Structure formats: structure tokens, C-alpha cells
């Protein structure tokens, strides 16, 4: 395996790990908050209360599947197939859009939800890094050695 394919393989593994980490960070985020406006007292909020965060978790999980399939095809078919390119494109699009949705949702948290806001920002940053790793993996996949 030449250097470009080895680098692409390494970035694919990194992207897969970051996608899993983003889904886990957001999926485990919750916070107890005082809900004084509705008279319920203390309420627990998590990602399921916000559709953008549900999209983020689902998108991260889908990108994990796309990344795993692309990694499998990259290793066993040598890398340059159309299916790998399509899976890379799908993973990038899903991760970037899901990260954007999560970052936009951060502005919706009010009333002492700093922990949930922080976890959302962290998960979105991890997701954006995963998308960047997929981009680099796709760019280095077919790079020819010209020197």
C-alpha cells in the first residue's frame, strides 16, 4: 500500500471514530433544569427534546454506517470505486449538515442549560472534525505520487 492510500485509510479510521464519538457525546447529554414557567419543578432535558439534536444523533449514526461500508470497500476493493466515492460524499453531507443543525440548536437553550449547551457544542465540533477527516480521506485516496 502506497503512502496516499495508507493516509486515506488512517483518515477513514479517524473519521469513523470521531463519528461514533460525536453520537455518543450527544446521545448521553442530559441536564436537570428548574422549569419554573410550567410549574413542573425540576425537569430533565436531553437531546430528544430538540429535533435538531435528534437529527444530529441519527445523522452521526448514519455516517458511521457509511464510513464503515466505505472503509470495508476501500480495503477490499483497493479504494478507487464509485461506491466508496458515493459513501464518502454521503458521510460528508450528513456530518456537515448535522453539525450545523446542532450548532444552530445551541441558541435555543435558555435558563441554566449550560451543560447541555456545552455538550452540544462539543459534539458538533467532533462531528465537523469527522466530516473534515472524511474529506481528507477522499482527497488522498487517489493521489498519485508525482516526485
Amino acid at each position: 500500500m502506497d503512502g496516499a492510500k495508507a493516509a486515506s485509510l488512517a483518515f477513514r479510521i479517524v473519521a469513523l471514530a470521531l463519528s461514533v464519538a460525536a453520537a455518543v457525546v450527544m446521545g448521553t447529554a442530559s441536564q436537570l433544569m428548574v422549569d419554573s414557567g410550567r410549574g413542573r419543578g425540576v425537569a430533565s432535558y436531553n437531546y430528544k427534546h430538540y429535533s435538531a439534536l435528534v437529527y444530529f444523533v441519527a445523522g452521526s449514526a448514519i455516517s458511521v454506517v457509511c464510513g464503515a461500508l466505505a472503509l470495508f470497500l476501500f480495503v477490499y476493493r483497493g479504494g478507487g470505486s464509485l461506491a466508496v466515492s458515493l459513501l464518502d460524499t454521503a458521510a460528508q453531507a450528513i456530518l456537515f449538515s448535522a453539525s450545523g443543525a446542532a450548532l444552530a440548536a445551541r441558541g435555543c437553550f435558555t435558563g441554566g442549560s449550560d451543560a447541555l449547551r456545552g455538550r452540544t457544542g462539543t459534539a458538533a465540533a467532533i462531528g465537523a472534525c469527522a466530516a473534515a477527516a472524511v474529506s481528507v480521506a477522499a482527497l488522498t485516496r487517489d493521489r498519485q505520487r508525482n516526485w
Side-chain angles (χ1 to χ4, degrees), residues 74-85:
F74 181 79
V75 169
Y76 288 105
R77 287 196 182 168
S81 71
L82 178 63
V84 172
S85 296

Side-chain angles (χ1 to χ4, degrees), residues 66 82-96 134 138 141:
C66 289
L82 178 63
V84 172
S85 296
L86 292 174
L87 289 167
D88 286 344
T89 303
Q92 282 178 315
I94 292 168
L95 283 168
F96 275 128
V134 172
R141 177 184 65 220

Side-chain angles (χ1 to χ4, degrees), residues 1-12 74 78-80 133 135-147:
M1 183 178 284
D2 66 350
K5 287 191 178 185
S8 182
L9 179 64
F11 278 106
R12 287 179 191 287
F74 181 79
S135 298
V136 173
L139 290 173
T140 59
R141 177 184 65 220
D142 296 323
R143 173 103 171 109
Q144 297 295 324
R145 194 169 181 175
N146 294 327
W147 42 278

